[in-house]
Amino acid sequence: MRTTLEIMRSAKSAVPAVSAAPSEQKNQALRMMADCLQAFSEEILKENALDVEEARGTVSDVMIDRLALTRARIDAMADGIRDVAKLPDPVGRVLERIERPNGLIIEKTAVPLGVIAIIYESRPNVTSDAAALALKSGNAGILRAGRQSWRSAAAICRALQEGLAAAGLPREAVQLVEDTSRESALELMHGVGYIDLLIPRGGAGLIRSCTENAKVPCIQTGTGICHIYVDDSANQEMALDIIENAKTSRPSVCNAAEVLLVHRGIAAEFLPKLADRLVEKRTAEGNIPVELHLDPQAAKVIAGEKAGSADFDTEYLDYKMGVKVVNSVEEAIAHIAAHSTGHSEAIITETKAHADLFTRMVDSAAVYVNASTRFTDGGEFGLGCEMGISTQKLHARGPMGLQELTTYKYIIHGSGQIR
């Protein structure tokens, strides 16, 4: 087994070849990586089945769904890599050009970061997404999967490395950490001189561990206590469609809605419709109903669980949702300010002034008017796949695509000027 230090060193050695690779070579490598991913699908599915079998009974069915791969999901992963190949190369873009009175031409130019390390947990598709984005942006990628998904990630990584080699790029440009202990994660966090950016993708515990322990630059990603506020002027059928989609289409992901705020003026009319849509109808159709955790005002209108003190600060990642009645859009904004993780929030309203106030005052990475929070995704934003959703303000915010995986330097052209 290679040590994490050996992997960091070899990733560092691969940076010159990857950062200097022309766009067409990188795109060719991505296409070959996608082809190899599909060619290796039997091996990947076999290893994934072992991961799923070992995890079953220790995690929820929702988390099993995050872990499980199918041929269709592998095809989608391959298509995601091909989509990245079609995107413009971010490296070498001139972000700003300044011509000084003395004739100096100063160009602020996008360049790769170097080595990007990604620590993630139980979603094998992150392996291919992260590798593709790192390569296209001219970076070497070190992937550190959780123990539950390690076999799947290792099989995926082997396929991706075959594609890299076929395109004439070093296999070391994409590597998987072989040690799944906590020590290997700490080595990446402490990898000064090797790691240029660390990106954790996972639950609050992982992100907190990285931000508290990292000695290398670290992006906070993922934790999503996402809110939907239904205003008194909302189109209620639209609101129900959006809420059901945001909560139930894939509850285990960070852009799923966790908290619903409803204006007092429509609560008596709207909440019974909500219970009918998310509980009664889903039960009748054989789908998992949503467990509603109600504040005292909502509990006067519909049946559900009593909301405890932690319910509005919990990322459920499950078929559960906190529900609170508020008096105004201003109170909704204040609640979000107190409880949000800065990921994604939505307002459902027909009042432009309320929409404008909400989008101006809510300080999250993505703020929606009359749309589901489930769109906070690199693919849905047209960025190809994504490295993660940044909930901080420096150096990236929201879905992290190719541009967010570069930095810049100033290139100055002169003709003999001296100061």
Side-chain angles (χ1 to χ4, degrees):
M1 181 177 76
R2 292 181 306 159
T3 67
T4 305
L5 179 58
E6 288 171 337
I7 289 170
M8 289 192 290
R9 284 174 174 163
S10 60
K12 190 78 172 178
S13 69
V15 166
V18 179
S19 63
S23 296
E24 184 47 43
Q25 185 180 19
K26 291 190 289 186
N27 292 337
Q28 181 187 24
L30 288 165
R31 291 189 290 267
M32 289 181 170
M33 287 161 67
D35 291 344
C36 288
L37 194 64
Q38 290 177 303
F40 280 60
S41 59
E42 288 298 330
E43 178 186 341
I44 294 168
L45 289 172
K46 179 181 176 182
E47 296 298 318
N48 181 250
L50 294 174
D51 283 337
V52 170
E53 181 182 353
E54 191 170 285
R56 199 176 298 281
T58 66
V59 297
S60 69
D61 289 344
V62 170
M63 300 308 289
I64 289 291
D65 179 64
R66 286 169 67 108
L67 175 60
L69 290 174
T70 62
R71 192 173 299 278
R73 286 186 176 180
I74 292 174
D75 290 343
M77 289 158 60
D79 288 341
I81 296 175
R82 295 186 183 104
D83 288 342
V84 172
K86 296 172 186 175
L87 293 172
D89 192 336
V91 177
R93 289 180 304 118
V94 176
L95 307 175
E96 187 176 357
R97 186 179 188 274
I98 303 166
E99 188 166 348
R100 299 295 296 151
N102 63 2
L104 283 179
I105 296 173
I106 303 168
E107 293 181 335
K108 184 179 181 181
T109 305
V111 296
L113 285 160
V115 177
I116 299 176
I118 307 95
I119 301 178
Y120 56 105
E121 293 173 333
S122 61
R123 293 178 64 184
N125 65 293
V126 175
T127 308
S128 60
D129 289 356
L133 288 169
L135 177 66
K136 178 76 179 217
S137 54
N139 298 292
I142 296 177
L143 312 169
R144 198 272 187 187
R147 185 178 289 105
Q148 286 179 336
S149 63
W150 191 87
R151 296 185 187 90
S152 307
I156 293 167
C157 191
R158 287 193 292 272
L160 300 178
Q161 288 176 330
E162 287 297 316
L164 277 170
L169 289 173
R171 292 174 180 266
E172 293 77 15
V174 174
Q175 298 181 83
L176 183 72
V177 172
E178 298 177 20
D179 176 10
T180 59
S181 70
R182 186 171 181 272
E183 284 67 30
S184 68
L186 284 171
E187 283 188 80
L188 294 177
M189 296 177 204
H190 296 168
V192 176
Y194 299 107
I195 306 299
D196 294 289
L197 181 66
L198 174 65
I199 303 174
R201 284 191 62 168
L206 169 62
I207 295 165
R208 184 171 57 252
S209 176
C210 287
T211 55
E212 289 176 355
N213 292 291
K215 296 180 180 179
V216 299
C218 179
I219 294 283
Q220 297 181 49
T221 69
T223 305
I225 300 178
C226 301
H227 297 74
I228 295 177
Y229 165 59
V230 182
D231 197 23
D232 55 353
S233 68
N235 178 321
Q236 293 187 24
E237 283 305 309
M238 176 199 293
L240 291 170
D241 290 342
I242 289 172
I243 294 163
E244 184 171 27
N245 175 263
K247 179 69 264 183
T248 69
S249 61
R250 200 167 184 193
S252 63
V253 294
C254 61
N255 58 24
E258 303 289 20
V259 176
L260 177 66
L261 306 173
V262 179
H263 192 287
R264 182 180 299 278
I266 61 166
E269 177 186 3
F270 182 74
L271 288 175
K273 295 179 183 179
L274 177 79
D276 180 65
R277 175 71 74 92
L278 295 190
V279 183
E280 282 83 3
K281 281 188 177 179
R282 289 184 61 81
T283 301
E285 293 168 356
N287 296 318
I288 300 173
V290 177
E291 184 177 288
L292 301 175
H293 292 234
L294 310 172
D295 84 327
Q297 296 305 312
K300 292 178 181 178
V301 182
I302 58 174
E305 299 292 319
K306 179 182 178 181
S309 59
D311 275 291
F312 296 108
D313 295 296
T314 297
E315 186 183 26
Y316 293 113
L317 301 176
D318 205 344
Y319 291 93
K320 299 178 181 181
M321 179 174 249
V323 181
K324 180 180 175 65
V325 175
V326 295
N327 292 312
S328 64
V329 62
E330 290 85 0
E331 185 179 342
I333 292 168
H335 177 95
I336 291 169
H339 299 276
S340 171
T341 54
H343 194 296
S344 301
E345 329 295 347
I347 180 173
I348 317 302
T349 187
E350 296 298 310
T351 304
K352 184 177 185 302
H354 288 181
D356 290 346
L357 180 66
F358 191 88
T359 56
R360 186 170 68 250
M361 298 303 296
V362 170
D363 189 19
S364 291
V367 185
Y368 293 84
V369 178
N370 296 331
S372 171
T373 58
R374 287 280 286 110
F375 286 103
T376 306
D377 175 273
E380 296 296 334
F381 278 21
L383 306 175
C385 44
E386 72 186 26
M387 192 66 84
I389 309 291
S390 171
T391 55
Q392 64 185 46
K393 300 179 184 181
L394 296 174
H395 109 112
R397 196 178 199 191
M400 293 183 64
L402 293 171
Q403 294 185 26
E404 289 73 30
L405 300 180
T406 61
T407 183
Y408 57 82
K409 65 183 176 185
Y410 289 96
I411 298 176
I412 302 95
H413 299 273
S415 54
Q417 290 89 338
I418 60 173
R419 181 175 176 179

